[in-house]
Amino acid sequence: MSPQPLSHPDGVPAQDQGAGTPSPFAQAAAGGEADTLVAFGLPEALGLVGEHAAGPLGRAAIQALVPLADPVRIGTELSLVGEAIRLAEAGEPLAVAPVPELGPVLDRLRLPGSVLDGPELVDLRATLGAMRMLAGEFRRVAPRAPGLAALAGPVPDRRVERRLEDALAPDGELLDTASPALAGARRQVVTARERLVRKLEALLRGMDPQTVPPGAAVTIRGGRYVIPVRRDSRGRPAGIVLDESGSAGTLFIEPTEAIELGNALREAIAAEAREALAVLRELTELLRPHHADLAAGHALCVRADTVAARARYAHAIGAGVPEVGPSGGPLVIRSGRHPVLLARGGETVPFDLDLQPGERTLVVSGPNAGGKTVLLKSVGLFAALVQSGVVPPVGAGSRFPLVTAFFADIGDRQSIADDLSTFSGHVATLRHVLDEADAGSLVLLDELGSGTDPAEGGALAWAVLEALTRRGTLTVATTHLGALKSWAVTDDRVRSAAMDFDTVALRPTYRILPDVAGVSAGLEIAARVGLDGSIIERARLHLGREGNVEEELDRLRERAAEAERRVAELRVERDRVEHRRLEVEREAEERLREGAERAGKALDASLGEFERRTRRALGEIRDARERRRV
């Protein structure tokens, strides 16, 4: 594990895990540990990924993702996302259309004799369009993304979609083109309404101005067309009083002369409603045989949206698809960055970690506010995201072991309700961890051994970590305790890492130094915030043996930093030598080329001279033969 920096401290729906392979998160929830992954920040991280979805169902499906326990399914999910990432990198991203919520609609469609309304049919039409678009996308990307193309399913005949397009407006209103009978019924309604309104307007015009209020006009009350008249007027027409004004001074009357025309209008409206119902029934029956394909296609559109969104997120942050190996395998993180810190903008400092199979525990030490807890949460969050089929902000070459259960003790465990002190709360959590964790578990422990006497806390912390290490549990712990720092440096099963601290500027650098313990820098930080200098000096004198340990660890850290600088110098020297080697090779090639050219020219000259001599000798032979003949 080379010295590396760290960040500043500052789809499908919940997947069917399959028989016999329940989600670790589901197990945790069942066991009262549902807050474990929340402590990692999984919901917030999934929310960031969901922002890249095309529609609300895709966002909700990503938010509902949970870690899978089946390595085959995890590999499949990451492979699909990897294919989509490569498409995005080639400038040909997978295009996915959002789909509406269809659960209740599909339930009703499945019931024989049910009739869907216009807006429900429009939602099904939108789904058909999204299914057809996705099928086309799968065909387009098939040569470069065979895994995605293999997801394609059947799509109902295009004529079904065209029938819906001819019958329905975008708001679900039936169009006149839905059926000739519906269009004819609507014309009858228009005609009947015009006749009734003309009749009522004629009655209004023929009445005494004293009988009607100012601005009187034909209006509707209780679904019937009426005219307003004064209550106290003796010249009001005979008819049915359907309403009165708020002041009770005006009555709204359906005149007897217009009742027949009003009845004709209501009959025309009823006929139109019957024809509209017939069209809706016909459209519903047209879709009912395709219920299974619609349900599967809708789910596939949502799933494809989650894959495309996960790929867009990974492409946007420049992440590489990691590998997932068996439980107990290595944990390798390259250029890891906490996704929430990354989303907040500003400078984030990536980190590298490398734990090989025989190394099951990582002890991280260093100052407060130096990034230890961010590192701790990042490890857990990355593992949870990867097993949820999400590519976290890590670089190429990252590798994660399969985690079968997640455990964490992060933050204050004090509980007034349970009458627990902070230390008691931590011990209760540790008891649960020791009862449940095995070789497939990931355990994250923050400030292990704190909250009690340092000597006792250190001894208890060592015993807990040693027990977990012995059973092969992958464990990451942060600490200020010197006993744990010393143990981590000397035990081959344990890796030590320090959060670097600038002792000159008195501030953390958020860089990880491998294989060395970090100083807590408590006194330096206290001095920086203005604590009285005499108090600081008295504290230094009182450090005693623990202070000597810290001094030794500080010397180790300095030696590690010096080794890091030396490694960097050697890398520069190696690059210089490599550059010179390339220059020498180029010079040698150039000289060989020039030599070959000179040799070629010399050979050409020699061949020319040979050819001239040969021609001269042949000429002399011919001349001699001619002389002998003479």
Side-chain angles (χ1 to χ4, degrees), residues 263-585:
N263 289 339
L265 174 59
R266 286 190 293 279
E267 290 176 4
I269 292 174
E272 179 195 10
R274 287 194 298 273
E275 292 300 331
L277 181 60
V279 172
L280 293 175
R281 178 174 286 108
E282 179 254 320
L283 295 176
T284 303
E285 292 300 327
L286 179 66
L287 288 167
R288 204 181 312 278
H290 303 290
H291 174 272
D293 288 345
L294 283 165
H298 182 269
L300 180 58
C301 287
V302 176
R303 175 168 168 72
D305 194 7
T306 72
V307 173
R310 285 177 275 165
R312 291 189 198 102
Y313 172 75
H315 180 58
I317 62 174
V321 179
E323 296 180 20
V324 177
S327 295
L331 169 65
V332 179
I333 298 176
R334 297 285 178 253
S335 301
R337 296 165 293 168
H338 195 287
V340 177
L341 297 180
L342 185 62
R344 290 177 185 170
E347 183 180 0
T348 56
V349 188
F351 68 89
D352 280 10
L353 284 180
D354 192 338
L355 286 179
Q356 293 306 308
E359 300 165 341
R360 305 315 297 153
T361 299
L362 176 68
V363 176
V364 184
S365 53
N368 290 320
K372 298 192 303 298
T373 303
V374 171
L375 170 64
L376 194 74
K377 291 183 176 182
S378 296
V379 172
L381 181 56
F382 292 167
L385 286 172
V386 167
Q387 290 188 206
S388 300
V390 175
V391 178
V394 297
S398 297
R399 233 182 133 186
F400 292 83
L402 180 70
V403 175
T404 57
F406 294 86
F407 299 91
D409 184 20
I410 301 173
D412 191 358
R413 292 286 176 171
Q414 186 175 26
S415 173
I416 296 176
D418 296 330
D419 193 25
L420 292 177
S421 67
T422 298
F423 180 70
S424 298
H426 285 300
V427 171
T429 301
L430 291 176
R431 181 186 62 191
H432 173 68
V433 170
L434 291 172
D435 286 344
E436 302 293 336
D438 58 21
S441 302
L442 172 62
V443 176
L444 305 179
L445 303 173
D446 197 20
E447 301 298 349
L448 183 60
S450 62
T452 188
D453 176 77
E456 290 186 346
L460 178 62
W462 172 83
V464 169
L465 287 182
E466 200 278 334
L468 293 173
T469 302
R470 202 170 351 106
R471 69 179 67 168
T473 303
L474 181 59
T475 307
V476 181
T478 67
T479 187
H480 287 289
L481 298 175
L484 288 186
K485 299 177 188 179
S486 301
W487 173 64
V489 172
T490 58
D491 194 320
D492 291 339
R493 302 168 301 171
V494 184
R495 293 296 297 271
S496 178
M499 303 309 301
D500 193 22
F501 186 78
D502 188 334
T503 55
V504 177
L506 295 180
R507 63 186 180 190
T509 66
Y510 309 110
R511 293 178 60 85
I512 296 178
L513 299 176
D515 300 319
V516 67
V519 294
S520 296
L523 296 182
E524 287 80 0
I525 293 174
R528 185 181 61 178
V529 298
L531 194 65
D532 187 271
S534 63
I535 299 295
I536 301 295
E537 288 305 315
R538 287 179 64 81
R540 292 188 191 281
L541 292 174
H542 191 67
L543 271 176
R545 182 175 181 278
E546 184 67 22
N548 293 334
V549 171
E550 289 293 335
E551 290 175 6
E552 179 61 25
L553 292 173
D554 191 21
R555 286 192 291 272
L556 287 173
R557 183 189 64 81
E558 290 177 355
R559 286 201 293 270
E562 177 61 28
E564 179 186 0
R565 287 191 292 271
R566 180 56 182 158
V567 168
E569 292 173 357
L570 290 174
R571 285 173 179 164
V572 171
E573 179 64 18
R574 180 197 63 189
D575 292 343
R576 187 189 66 77
V577 171
E578 178 66 15
H579 179 71
R580 178 56 185 158
R581 183 183 66 80
L582 294 175
E583 287 183 343
V584 170
E585 288 180 353

Side-chain angles (χ1 to χ4, degrees), residues 147-360:
L148 286 170
L151 298 177
V155 180
D157 192 280
R158 181 72 174 89
R159 288 173 293 184
V160 176
E161 200 174 336
R162 290 198 190 99
R163 177 70 183 106
L164 295 174
E165 291 170 352
D166 292 340
L168 294 161
D171 62 357
E173 184 71 23
L174 285 171
L175 300 172
D176 289 348
T177 53
S179 81
L182 178 61
R186 285 178 170 176
R187 287 193 295 271
Q188 291 297 322
V189 170
V190 172
T191 299
R193 182 180 289 112
E194 289 176 347
R195 288 173 180 170
L196 174 58
V197 171
R198 282 198 300 268
K199 179 64 176 178
L200 293 173
E201 287 175 343
L203 289 173
L204 270 178
R205 287 194 300 270
M207 293 173 65
D208 187 331
Q210 299 300 319
T211 302
V212 298
V218 176
T219 187
I220 299 175
R221 288 293 187 275
R224 301 175 73 93
Y225 284 81
V226 296
I227 58 175
V229 298
R230 294 181 184 277
R231 177 185 289 274
D232 58 1
S233 171
R234 296 183 179 179
R236 73 189 190 197
I240 303 172
V241 177
L242 295 178
D243 199 2
E244 65 181 19
S245 65
S247 63
T250 300
L251 300 176
F252 295 93
I253 296 175
E254 182 181 25
T256 303
E257 297 180 47
I259 288 177
E260 185 176 348
L261 290 175
N263 289 339
L265 174 59
R266 286 190 293 279
E267 290 176 4
I269 292 174
E272 179 195 10
R274 287 194 298 273
E275 292 300 331
L277 181 60
V279 172
L280 293 175
R281 178 174 286 108
E282 179 254 320
L283 295 176
T284 303
E285 292 300 327
L286 179 66
L287 288 167
R288 204 181 312 278
H290 303 290
H291 174 272
D293 288 345
L294 283 165
H298 182 269
L300 180 58
C301 287
V302 176
R303 175 168 168 72
D305 194 7
T306 72
V307 173
R310 285 177 275 165
R312 291 189 198 102
Y313 172 75
H315 180 58
I317 62 174
V321 179
E323 296 180 20
V324 177
S327 295
L331 169 65
V332 179
I333 298 176
R334 297 285 178 253
S335 301
R337 296 165 293 168
H338 195 287
V340 177
L341 297 180
L342 185 62
R344 290 177 185 170
E347 183 180 0
T348 56
V349 188
F351 68 89
D352 280 10
L353 284 180
D354 192 338
L355 286 179
Q356 293 306 308
E359 300 165 341
R360 305 315 297 153

